[in-house]
Amino acid sequence: MNLGLARALVFSLALTLIIECGFFLATGKKNKKDLLLAVLANIITNPVVVLGYWLIYLYTNWSTMLSKAVLELSAVVVEGNYYRKYGQEFTRPFLFSLGANGLSFAVGHLIQRIILEVR
């Protein structure tokens, strides 16, 4: 595996877990099993989204913005389904998933832009 890809996967997952767990707590949720569910859902979806983006970027000429949108919305749907099916405190699981993923995406995008400007 490419070292750059491995770093991107680890960094992205760590950042996503920090942001989305923070979002979980900021929304007033306290159920530890639901927090674990959020962590597991992100462990499942985040590497797929990051790897999918890298593969699309490296091997196709598809629109990166459209690709990101499709991949991120897919993660929202998958995570929302996990929250709906297995969660206890998720009264609006898809809205929660959209908010958590939207915040995570926005922060990640901001960090990426800062890193690129520094280089």
Side-chain angles (χ1 to χ4, degrees):
M1 178 186 286
N2 180 316
L3 186 58
L5 175 57
R7 285 184 184 154
L9 286 165
V10 169
F11 181 75
S12 177
L13 181 59
L15 184 62
T16 296
L17 291 174
I18 291 167
I19 293 167
E20 294 200 23
C21 288
F23 184 82
F24 178 93
L25 297 170
T27 58
K29 297 186 182 344
K30 294 180 173 65
N31 186 298
K32 290 180 182 177
K33 288 182 181 179
D34 281 350
L35 179 58
L36 178 60
L37 175 61
V39 168
L40 294 174
N42 278 286
I43 288 172
I44 292 168
T45 58
N46 181 268
V48 173
V49 169
V50 173
L51 183 58
Y53 177 74
W54 269 64
L55 292 172
I56 289 168
Y57 177 78
L58 292 173
Y59 298 110
T60 73
N61 59 358
W62 296 352
S63 163
T64 55
M65 287 302 284
L66 182 59
S67 300
K68 281 183 184 180
V70 169
L71 290 165
E72 289 293 336
L73 286 174
S74 298
V76 167
V77 169
V78 170
E79 290 174 22
N81 273 308
Y82 279 118
Y83 301 150
R84 180 180 53 82
K85 186 169 184 177
Y86 302 109
Q88 297 171 359
E89 283 188 329
F90 297 101
T91 55
R92 294 191 176 125
F94 293 96
L95 187 59
F96 176 85
S97 181
L98 181 63
N101 280 281
L103 178 62
S104 180
F105 177 81
V107 171
H109 184 73
L110 180 64
I111 290 171
Q112 190 176 36
R113 290 194 58 96
I114 291 169
I115 289 171
L116 290 175
E117 284 184 20
V118 170
R119 288 182 182 178

